[in-house]
């Protein structure tokens, strides 16, 4: 998606001189014009943030900005970025924000700034290749073992009766009409399995020069638009790939803005995590059998069967070092994959209708397995290895997983060189300062810049190995949290145990929902706890209770926002993904402090590593993880200037434990109480005064 209102300068941005920056003195004028263009209201925090971003770009610094909901932070970074003239990459965590930027904020801002800039900067969205439909797959068929049987059985007219086959046919029809090929533009969507039939990874792609559809390729067109754009909007996953793999996938740029930056560590960790599954090995066998020699395929088949047998009885948990028997099995997979790779490189002219595509797909599977197996066998001190049982690939299926112990070093080495980086979110300060989040992002606390932005003292190193200097800024929120919200902690409840069924907690929750007249967003630490609460309270309360997983998240949120009495219960994605301003959400309930599970291998390993280096592992890892979630969860309550309500935490530890103050200071500055009667009276009063809910 791009605006094509202005042709690029002769020779394109790669060779043309960048536009001269607009003087900083004109920044207020530009910001005012942009805010007016989107129908917003200029706020002091927004002005402070825009000035700080402008100064950071001018000085070549890095900036962390905490900007509360309603600040207008998108314009606060877009305006100074466009005024400066360098190409900028904006990376976000959610599709909603990406769409807001390219469909609303950027078009209006570009037009509003045109009289001063005397140009209309180009902008484009760029995602990973597998997010775009592959025309080769759509037109030539799917050289995939998973595609077999898609259209069996058929109806009387010869069409597929199965959901998978119907979705694939719909995708092929969509390929004829879509302009972007972007999966997120497909409505309604399709399953991951259906999409995989008509999409390819970067390793599976034939390459534009060798593909018959290279000139029409949606992914290639998106990359070309990004090369010409002044602003490239992408996601955290693409940014992670750019940082991890060393081969740049993003165009050169002078400014990187990371919105929703509290999510970056998780996204980079996810991109750097690999797994070895029985299904993936079996899939590689099927793909290799089409082209590789018999000896190589037999070796991989034998390795697959051995690995399968061992993983059936493998016990979940962290593995400090692969047991000898499992090490032999993984080594057999690695070595067999090497034989397959060699064979695929040697064999030609097997008579297949699309031999190049088949070879690319088989090679991609073998190479990915080889890399993962080799990483597992190497056993770096910087990696965590564990066995996980999950139903993702079948009931109780086990896999071997490997993830980085920390990504801060990776980010420090690859994110902050040769460009200014602005990281922003509504949640970057935990326990009152930026140091915890900054450290996880690769920004050491000892290199923080003082307010006048001049490095001083022993930390003022220079040169290529100098640590990245940064400055933190909290521009606050336009909302008056102490007047708009109450933070209630149910101090009288017993501390939560491991069982999701907490009768006293459910009694408290039922009374709170009754006082609020519904209007409740229930945030639970596990899906099991959310399901238990929904089941029990549906029997006790005469209000609709929606449960995550019973419909798409978008439909659930829409239903929740459209009916005042409705409650919505769920887990992780609701803690951060719900934006329901108005009277439909006046009570946000957290069942407990969302510490990571004690048996979470990666979190446990990270906690032990901090302790081994003399730090407080609990506070640095478990408490930081939980505080980020609680701050995000509490942020679901007040989304507009006239919103009012209660955040209720049904875990007494927030009031009684030593770390309680750390969590409370990480959340919005609501009026704090442990008085259950006061909260019930307040909820009843808020409910009585609430305006009718308008259907969305």
């Amino acid at each position: 998606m791009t605006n094509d209102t202005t042709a690029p300068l002769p020779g394109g941005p790669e060779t043309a001189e960048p536009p001269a920056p607009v003087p900083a003195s004109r920044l207020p004028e530009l910001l005012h014009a942009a805010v007016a263009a989107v129908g917003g209201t200029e706020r002091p925090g927004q002005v402070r943030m825009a000035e700080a971003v402008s100064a950071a770009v001018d000085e070549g610094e890095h900036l962390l900005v905490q900007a509360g909901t309603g600040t207008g932070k998108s314009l606060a970074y877009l305006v100074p970025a466009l005024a400066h003239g360098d190409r900028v990459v904006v990376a976000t965590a959610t599709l909603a924000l990406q769409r807001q930027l390219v469909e609303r904020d950027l078009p209006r801002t570009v037009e509003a700034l045109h009289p001063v800039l005397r140009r209309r900067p180009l902008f484009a969205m760029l995602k990973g290749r597998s997010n775009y439909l592959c025309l080769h797959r759509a037109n030539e068929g799917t050289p995939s073992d998973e595609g077999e049987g898609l259209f069996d059985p058929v109806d009387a007219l010869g069409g597929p009766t199965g959901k998978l086959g119907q979705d694939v046919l719909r995708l092929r029809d969509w390929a004829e009409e879509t302009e972007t090929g972007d999966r997120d533009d497909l409505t309604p969507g399709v399953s991951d399995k259906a999409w995989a039939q008509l999409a390819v990874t970067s390793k599976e792609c034939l390459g534009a020069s060798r593909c018959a559809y290279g000139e029409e390729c949606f992914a290639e067109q998106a990359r070309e638009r990004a090369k010409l754009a002044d602003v490239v909007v992408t996601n955290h996953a693409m940014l992670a790939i750019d940082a991890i793999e060393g081969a740049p996938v993003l165009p050169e740029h002078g400014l990187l803005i990371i919105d929703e930056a509290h999510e970056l560590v998780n996204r980079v960790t996810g991109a750097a995590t690999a797994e070895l599954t029985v299904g993936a090995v079996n899939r590689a066998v099927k793909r290799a059998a089409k082209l590789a020699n018999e000896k190589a395929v037999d070796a991989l088949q034998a390795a697959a069967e051995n690995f399968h047998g061992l993983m059936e009885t493998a016990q979940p948990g962290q593995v400090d070092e692969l047991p000898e028997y499992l090490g032999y099995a993984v080594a057999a997979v690695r070595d067999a994959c090497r034989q397959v790779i060699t064979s695929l490189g040697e064999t030609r002219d097997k008579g297949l209708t699309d031999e190049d595509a088949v070879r690319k797909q088989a090679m991609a599977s073998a190479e990915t397995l080889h890399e993962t197996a080799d990483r597992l066998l190497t056993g770096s001190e910087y990696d965590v290895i564990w066995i996980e049982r999950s139903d993702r690939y079948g009931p109780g299926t086990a896999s071997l997983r490997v993830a980085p112990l920390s990504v801060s070093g990776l980010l420090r080495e690859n994110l902050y060189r040769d460009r200014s980086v602005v990281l922003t979110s509504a949640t970057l300060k935990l326990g009152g300062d930026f140091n915890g989040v900054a450290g996880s992002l690769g920004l050491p606390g000892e290199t923080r810049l003082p307010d006048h932005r001049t490095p001083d003292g022993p930390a003022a190193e220079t040169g290529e190995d100098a640590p990245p200097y940064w400055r933190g800024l909290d521009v606050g929120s336009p909302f008056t949290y102490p007047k708009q919200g109450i933070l209630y902690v149910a101090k009288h409840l017993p501390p939560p145990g491991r069982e999701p069924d907490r009768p006293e907690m459910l009694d408290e929750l039922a009374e709170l929902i009754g006082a609020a007249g519904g209007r409740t967003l229930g945030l639970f630490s596990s899906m099991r706890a959310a399901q238990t609460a929904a089941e029990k309270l549906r029997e006790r309360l005469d209000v609709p209770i929606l449960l995550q997983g019973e419909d798409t998240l978008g439909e659930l949120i829409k239903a929740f926002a459209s009916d005042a009495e409705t409650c919505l219960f769920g887990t992780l994605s609701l803690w951060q993904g719900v934006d329901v301003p108005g009277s439909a959400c006046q009570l946000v309930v957290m069942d407990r402090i969302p510490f990571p599970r004690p048996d979470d291998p990666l979190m446990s390993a990270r906690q032990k590593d901090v302790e081994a280096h003399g730090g407080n592992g609990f506070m640095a890892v478990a408490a930081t993880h939980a505080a980020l979630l609680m701050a995000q969860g509490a942020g679901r309550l007040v989304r507009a200037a006239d919103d009012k309500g209660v955040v209720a935490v049904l875990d007494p530890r927030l009031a009684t434990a030593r770390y309680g103050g750390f969590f409370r200071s990480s959340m919005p500055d609501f009026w704090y109480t442990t008085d259950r009667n006061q909260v019930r009276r307040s909820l009843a009063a808020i409910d009585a005064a609430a305006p009718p809910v308008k259907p969305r």
Side-chain angles (χ1 to χ4, degrees):
M1 194 171 299
T2 182
N3 64 328
D4 296 317
T5 54
T6 301
L9 293 168
E14 301 297 332
T15 58
E17 289 294 324
V22 176
S25 60
R26 303 202 68 176
L27 184 63
E29 173 190 353
L30 294 174
L31 184 61
H32 181 76
V35 172
V38 301
T41 302
E42 198 170 291
R43 303 184 185 281
Q46 186 181 49
V47 174
R48 288 182 63 203
M49 179 174 173
E51 292 172 345
V53 171
S54 179
V57 179
D58 288 341
E59 300 291 335
E61 298 168 1
H62 308 304
L63 177 69
L64 268 67
V65 186
Q66 177 162 291
T69 303
T71 301
K73 67 178 184 300
S74 298
L75 293 186
Y77 59 67
L78 286 177
V79 170
L82 291 171
H84 195 267
D86 279 344
R87 177 185 283 136
V88 57
V89 169
V90 181
T92 78
T94 62
L95 172 63
L97 182 52
Q98 291 164 31
R99 286 196 176 280
Q100 177 189 315
L101 289 170
V102 299
E103 295 177 4
R104 178 179 179 268
D105 293 348
L106 275 165
R108 297 181 185 182
T109 302
V110 163
E111 287 303 314
L113 302 191
H114 175 245
V116 177
L117 298 182
R118 298 186 179 278
R119 58 187 175 89
R120 289 184 175 88
L122 302 172
F123 53 88
M125 184 182 288
L126 182 63
K127 303 176 184 178
R129 188 171 295 275
S130 60
N131 289 278
Y132 301 97
L133 183 141
C134 173
L135 287 172
H136 186 278
R137 285 273 184 97
N139 291 293
E140 304 297 332
T142 306
S144 170
D145 42 280
E146 294 181 1
E148 297 171 2
L150 281 177
F151 306 109
D152 181 26
V154 298
D155 59 23
L157 298 177
T161 58
K163 181 69 165 62
L164 180 59
Q166 291 174 350
D167 280 346
V168 170
L169 280 186
R170 183 159 67 88
L171 283 171
R172 285 179 175 157
D173 291 339
W174 182 67
E176 300 294 326
E177 61 188 50
T178 177
E179 294 182 2
T180 66
D182 186 337
R183 181 179 182 178
D184 292 321
D185 291 339
L186 175 67
T187 304
V190 296
S191 67
D192 290 345
K193 190 170 185 179
W195 182 258
Q197 307 307 312
L198 273 74
V200 296
T201 65
S202 58
K203 285 186 176 182
E204 294 171 332
C205 177
L206 289 171
S209 62
R210 298 180 60 191
C211 179
Y213 304 91
E215 292 186 4
E216 308 164 59
C217 174
F218 295 122
E220 290 297 324
Q221 288 179 355
R223 294 182 71 171
E224 289 304 311
R225 288 194 293 266
K227 288 180 182 177
L228 298 175
D230 300 278
V231 180
V232 177
V233 178
T234 189
N235 52 44
H236 287 182
M238 279 286 281
L239 184 62
I241 293 169
D242 196 70
I244 291 169
E245 296 190 354
V249 295
L250 298 172
E252 289 189 8
H253 51 281
L255 173 62
L256 171 62
I257 296 170
I258 303 173
D259 206 338
E260 301 169 311
H262 64 278
E263 274 287 289
L264 183 63
V265 169
N266 286 338
R267 301 302 171 100
V268 174
T269 299
T273 298
E275 63 180 349
L276 192 64
T277 69
V278 172
V281 182
N282 288 333
R283 190 158 51 247
V285 173
K286 291 182 181 179
R287 293 175 175 177
K290 299 174 183 179
L291 279 176
N293 64 47
E294 187 175 347
K295 181 180 178 182
V297 175
D298 287 347
L300 187 55
Q301 178 68 57
E305 292 172 358
N306 186 36
F307 182 63
H308 186 188
L310 292 175
M311 293 305 289
E312 279 191 321
T313 58
Q315 295 302 307
Q318 186 179 345
V319 179
D320 292 328
E321 185 177 344
L322 284 180
E324 188 176 23
Y325 69 92
L326 196 52
Y328 283 135
V330 174
V333 171
R334 178 197 61 187
D335 297 342
C337 284
R338 170 50 59 193
Q339 292 183 55
V340 167
I341 293 167
T342 301
S343 175
L344 290 171
E346 294 172 348
T347 55
R348 288 290 185 273
D349 300 323
K350 284 280 188 175
L352 297 176
T353 56
D354 198 0
E355 188 169 315
D356 283 344
V358 173
R359 177 176 288 103
K360 263 287 189 178
Q361 190 178 61
M363 188 74 81
S365 281
E367 287 178 344
T368 300
L369 286 177
H370 183 275
E371 291 168 6
T372 302
D374 195 55
R375 183 177 171 189
L376 287 164
L377 292 166
T378 301
S380 167
E381 62 180 305
Y382 302 110
D383 273 341
V384 180
I385 299 172
W386 71 97
I387 296 170
E388 181 174 294
R389 287 203 170 273
S390 169
D391 293 335
R392 287 180 300 159
Y393 308 114
T397 303
S399 63
L400 267 174
R401 308 198 81 203
V402 55
L405 183 61
S406 170
V407 297
S408 61
L410 180 69
L411 292 174
R412 175 175 168 173
E413 292 173 11
N414 296 287
L415 206 63
Y416 304 103
R417 294 184 184 276
D418 305 321
R419 60 187 172 189
S420 292
V421 181
V422 174
L423 302 108
T424 184
S425 167
T427 311
L428 289 178
K429 290 176 72 175
L430 298 179
D433 64 52
F434 289 97
N435 289 332
V437 173
S440 70
L441 292 167
L443 294 170
E446 68 272 12
T447 60
R448 182 177 177 178
L449 288 161
D451 288 340
H452 54 80
R453 303 193 305 278
T454 303
D456 60 358
E461 304 174 31
T462 59
E464 191 171 319
D465 295 328
Y469 296 107
W470 61 280
R471 187 162 64 102
L473 175 67
D474 182 0
V475 300
S477 169
F479 305 141
T480 53
Y481 286 124
K483 294 182 178 180
Q484 291 184 251
I486 297 172
L487 172 60
Y488 163 61
V489 180
K491 187 178 179 180
H492 61 283
L493 292 178
R498 292 199 172 190
E499 291 302 314
D501 191 356
R502 298 165 56 199
E504 297 92 344
M505 184 274 288
L506 292 176
D507 290 342
E508 181 79 12
L509 178 55
E511 290 184 20
L512 290 170
I513 292 174
R519 308 178 190 272
T520 300
L521 177 64
L523 305 178
F524 292 83
S525 54
S526 71
M527 200 62 229
R528 187 180 170 199
Q531 291 167 343
T532 299
E535 178 185 339
K536 299 287 187 182
L537 295 188
R538 281 169 174 169
E539 298 172 356
R540 297 172 56 173
L541 300 176
D542 190 25
V543 297
I545 297 178
L546 307 175
L547 178 64
Q548 184 180 353
E550 293 181 343
D551 202 339
T552 65
L553 189 58
E555 288 301 313
L556 288 172
I557 294 173
K558 182 179 178 181
F560 173 56
S562 300
D563 181 10
E565 291 189 344
T566 296
C567 302
L568 173 58
F569 290 3
T571 184
L572 188 59
S573 56
L574 295 188
W575 287 74
Q576 305 184 76
V578 177
D579 183 12
V580 180
S583 57
C585 180
Q586 294 187 329
L587 173 61
V588 174
V589 178
M590 304 179 198
D591 69 326
R592 65 170 73 200
I593 298 174
F595 290 120
R597 297 190 331 267
D599 60 349
D600 184 307
L602 185 55
M603 288 293 189
S604 298
R606 287 176 170 176
Q607 190 165 321
K608 291 175 183 176
D609 182 66
V610 171
E611 291 166 356
H613 289 85
N616 186 326
F618 169 76
M619 292 302 296
V621 179
T624 294
H625 168 88
L628 274 173
L629 273 179
M630 292 192 78
Q632 285 288 311
R636 302 309 97 200
L637 180 68
V638 176
R639 310 297 295 175
D642 54 355
D643 283 355
K644 291 184 178 180
V646 172
V647 172
V649 181
L650 308 185
D651 186 337
R653 294 175 297 178
L654 193 66
T656 60
R658 286 183 299 173
Y659 50 74
F662 171 78
F663 286 99
R664 294 196 302 274
S665 65
S666 303
M667 299 165 73
D669 186 25
F670 296 130
W671 187 73
Y672 172 65
T673 184
T674 59
D675 187 334
R676 57 192 304 198
N677 294 321
Q678 174 63 55
V679 164
R680 282 154 179 72
R681 290 193 297 270
S682 297
L683 280 171
I686 293 169
D687 178 38
V693 172
K694 297 179 181 179
R696 300 181 78 181

